[in-house]
Amino acid sequence: MFKKIIKGSRKHSKSDSTDASSRPPRSGNTGSDLNPHLVVNHASRPGQGAPPSTNSSSPMVPPPMSAVEPLPLLRDTPVSERQNLFMRKLQICCFLFDFTDVLKSAREKEIKRQTLLELVDYIQSGSGKITEICQEEMIKMVGINIFRSLPPASHENTGQGASDPEEEEPYLDPTWPHLQIVYELLLRYVVSSDTDTKVAKKYIDHSFILKLLDLFDSEDPRERELLKTILHRIYGKFMVHRPFIRKAINNIFYRFIYETERHSGTGELLEILGSIINGFALPMKEEHKLFLVRALIPLHKPKPIAMYHQQLSYCIIQFVEKDYKLADTVIRGLLKYWPLTNCQKEVLFLGELEEVLEATQSAEFQRCMVPLFRQIARCLNSLHFQVAERALFLWNNEHIVNLIALNRQVILPIIFEALERNIHGHWNQAVHGLTMNVRKMFMEMDADLFDECQREFAEKEARAQEVEEQREMTWKKLADVAAERGDNMVTV
């Protein structure tokens, strides 16, 4: 009996399977015939029905290549196969070579170079919109090529002290023949109208931007120039990254100011910031004012300021022109970091000061004019003729002369002594002549005030002369007493 039951159940299951395999497919939705609580993943059942269709617009990542071999040109390939070929070309570009030996792997290097040029042309021409997976692989390839350990600076690991950056020969990276094209490919991708920022921001993310900023310390000026253009374009296109980029640049400046005092790309970063500051909306955010106070003004402190002063000065002037109330903050900041022994820095500071004063209104000028002209008076008496000359050139600026004329009652008494000392004792004839011109200008502004200052100066000189004579008399008396007692002193 048991054997019959088993036999019958086998026949029944066989007939069911036969019916299921021979039954024609139903048209329409068959979900109503299935158990509503049963979830069926049709894609996971191989061998049933037709195979899933392959979408040519979403290529799979090809297996890694073991060697660099030339591939067909993209323009000679059918459109349906271009994305797959594009991926294979990216793999070729991931191979890295030793450029210290020109003859080593020369054929492979040339294949990679030509492939990179073709990819740049393909992106630039907009021949076809590249898929998301191709974009991801392309950014990976760019990272493999450009993100690397930078060689040590020329003064490091040599046992010698750091030399002046202005006197160093620029370092030229031997890998530049490939690096330049990789940077060009990244730039064309960022500026392309086909690049969707919603997709691209997945790959050009915060980590990518930080690594890109690290490369600004490269000693190769060609690399820094391309990096500057790329970062500026990224800032313009990816609005979501703008606060992060500003903060990251801030951190680079903080480390440069307070730790290393050495960074190759400070000038390029300031150039980018100059363009960014120019686009700040008014009224200016507190965040931007803090950036001025905490980062830009302290950048006057490091010794190698001459390397980036032109760009720094431009950024400072942009702030003052956008918000004239910041002039007092900027001028007091300059006075705080005014150099004491570096005459070349003083000349730079005086040039920047003139530009700031040109954008300064009377109310802000009055807040800082006393400490400002005390410093200018010290510059007028500098023994370095370029410092004294540059300070006297301030009186060639019409706007500054007008500000001085409005506040001459305060300013002339501060600098009158410095002018008189230059006339009577400065060694340089050019400084002497310029001082005479400034003195004459004040005399024409307010003769009574000039006479009063001259009288006070004469009285001060007379008192100083009396003090000097009294001191000499005291020393003479001491000498006489010592001479009288000299006979009684025993010399050992």
Side-chain angles (χ1 to χ4, degrees):
M1 182 68 182
F2 178 73
K3 292 181 179 179
K4 289 182 180 180
I5 292 172
I6 295 298
K7 187 176 180 181
S9 64
R10 286 178 178 172
K11 288 182 179 179
H12 180 71
S13 62
K14 185 177 180 181
S15 62
D16 284 350
S17 62
T18 305
D19 292 343
S21 61
S22 61
R23 186 183 301 125
R26 297 181 184 180
S27 61
N29 185 7
T30 62
S32 59
D33 298 333
L34 300 174
N35 185 346
H37 300 290
L38 182 64
V39 179
V40 180
N41 185 358
H42 294 276
S44 65
R45 296 193 298 179
Q48 291 194 8
S53 61
T54 302
N55 188 355
S56 61
S57 63
S58 301
M60 299 296 292
V61 179
M65 301 176 68
S66 58
V68 176
E69 295 295 339
L71 295 173
L73 296 176
L74 285 166
R75 65 169 179 264
D76 298 336
T77 307
V79 176
S80 59
E81 299 177 13
R82 283 183 184 174
Q83 298 295 328
N84 287 321
L85 181 59
F86 186 89
M87 300 273 279
R88 293 177 65 197
K89 286 181 178 288
L90 288 175
Q91 288 188 346
I92 288 179
C93 298
C94 288
F95 283 89
L96 301 179
F97 301 101
D98 179 12
F99 279 82
T100 56
D101 185 351
V102 180
L103 300 178
K104 187 177 179 181
S105 307
R107 174 179 171 274
E108 288 81 359
K109 289 176 185 175
E110 181 60 22
I111 291 173
K112 178 180 175 180
R113 193 182 73 85
Q114 293 296 336
T115 304
L116 283 167
L117 288 171
E118 186 186 4
L119 292 178
V120 171
D121 183 64
Y122 183 75
I123 297 294
Q124 187 173 4
S125 64
S127 304
K129 190 173 182 180
I130 60 175
T131 61
E132 185 171 339
I133 190 170
C134 286
Q135 293 181 53
E136 180 181 6
E137 293 301 312
M138 183 175 69
I139 297 301
K140 284 182 183 177
M141 181 276 293
V142 169
I144 288 171
N145 280 272
I146 67 173
F147 298 145
R148 66 208 189 278
S149 296
L150 295 173
S154 54
H155 71 281
E156 294 177 1
N157 301 327
T158 60
Q160 300 177 355
S163 58
D164 188 348
E166 294 182 34
E167 298 176 359
E168 292 179 4
E169 288 292 328
Y171 168 79
L172 301 179
D173 197 316
T175 62
W176 186 246
H178 285 184
L179 270 181
Q180 180 182 12
I181 311 172
V182 175
Y183 277 124
E184 191 69 26
L185 177 64
L186 177 59
L187 177 61
R188 294 303 158 202
Y189 170 71
V190 170
V191 303
S192 174
S193 57
D194 294 331
T195 301
D196 184 359
T197 54
K198 293 180 180 178
V199 174
K201 72 180 182 181
K202 299 177 185 176
Y203 316 117
I204 300 180
D205 55 5
H206 288 180
S207 174
F208 185 90
I209 290 170
L210 282 177
K211 291 176 183 176
L212 205 66
L213 283 166
D214 286 341
L215 292 172
F216 273 88
D217 203 16
S218 168
E219 292 193 343
D220 193 328
R222 303 169 301 179
E223 183 171 12
R224 297 198 306 270
E225 190 67 23
L226 266 176
L227 282 166
K228 177 186 71 176
T229 306
I230 291 168
L231 186 64
H232 192 196
R233 294 291 188 174
I234 290 174
Y235 186 91
K237 189 156 190 169
F238 297 85
M239 294 185 67
V240 67
H241 290 330
R242 289 183 180 182
F244 179 80
I245 292 174
R246 292 198 299 269
K247 185 177 179 181
I249 293 176
N250 272 11
N251 293 335
I252 291 174
F253 287 163
Y254 294 152
R255 188 170 179 225
F256 169 63
I257 295 164
Y258 300 110
E259 294 181 23
T260 64
E261 285 203 356
R262 194 176 185 93
H263 191 279
S264 301
T266 306
E268 286 78 9
L269 291 172
L270 285 168
E271 276 192 59
I272 298 170
L273 286 171
S275 178
I276 292 172
I277 295 165
N278 193 32
F280 282 166
L282 296 176
M284 201 173 293
K285 294 180 181 178
E286 194 64 26
E287 168 202 348
H288 303 328
K289 295 179 183 178
L290 287 174
F291 167 66
L292 168 68
V293 174
R294 294 178 179 177
L296 288 186
I297 291 178
L299 276 173
H300 291 84
K301 177 178 175 284
K303 184 180 178 181
I305 186 176
M307 299 289 292
Y308 57 83
H309 182 262
Q310 183 179 355
Q311 297 91 331
L312 175 61
S313 178
Y314 177 77
C315 291
I316 296 287
I317 301 305
Q318 287 289 312
F319 269 102
V320 178
E321 288 180 349
K322 280 192 166 289
D323 187 353
Y324 65 89
K325 293 181 180 179
L326 293 172
D328 176 50
T329 303
V330 168
I331 290 171
R332 289 183 183 274
L334 285 172
L335 295 176
K336 178 181 178 181
Y337 295 105
W338 201 276
L340 299 177
T341 58
N342 190 331
C343 296
Q344 294 303 322
K345 276 184 73 172
E346 278 196 276
V347 173
L348 294 175
F349 273 49
L350 286 164
E352 183 178 350
L353 179 63
E354 180 176 357
E355 292 187 67
V356 173
L357 287 173
E358 203 165 357
T360 302
Q361 303 299 321
S362 180
E364 282 64 42
F365 179 78
Q366 289 173 357
R367 292 194 187 100
C368 60
M369 61 184 178
V370 173
L372 171 62
F373 277 88
R374 283 176 181 162
Q375 180 60 58
I376 290 175
R378 287 191 285 271
C379 292
L380 291 175
N381 289 147
S382 173
L383 293 177
H384 195 294
F385 79 96
Q386 289 180 336
V387 175
E389 192 176 55
R390 190 65 188 83
L392 288 162
F393 282 160
L394 293 173
W395 275 266
N396 291 341
N397 189 297
E398 186 177 350
H399 179 70
I400 296 175
V401 169
N402 290 335
L403 290 173
I404 293 172
L406 291 172
N407 301 278
R408 59 186 180 273
Q409 298 286 345
V410 177
I411 293 172
L412 183 56
I414 294 174
I415 66 167
F416 188 85
E417 182 177 347
L419 294 174
E420 291 298 311
R421 293 194 185 287
N422 269 6
I423 289 171
H424 294 104
H426 203 284
W427 64 273
N428 187 270
Q429 287 300 317
V431 171
H432 187 274
L434 289 168
T435 304
M436 289 294 293
N437 293 339
V438 172
R439 187 175 184 274
K440 182 180 178 182
M441 193 181 296
F442 275 113
M443 194 183 301
E444 293 172 353
M445 275 185 198
D446 194 331
D448 294 338
L449 177 63
F450 186 88
D451 291 341
E452 183 182 346
C453 290
Q454 195 168 30
R455 186 176 62 255
E456 289 179 358
F457 176 73
E459 292 175 357
K460 183 179 179 181
E461 287 291 294
R463 288 195 298 270
Q465 184 65 27
E466 289 178 8
V467 171
E468 181 65 21
E469 289 175 357
Q470 186 67 35
R471 188 178 68 83
E472 296 229 356
M473 191 178 297
T474 303
W475 277 108
K476 188 174 183 302
K477 288 179 180 179
L478 288 171
D480 292 342
V481 171
E484 291 175 1
R485 297 181 180 180
D487 298 337
N488 301 327
M489 294 176 67
V490 178
T491 305
V492 179

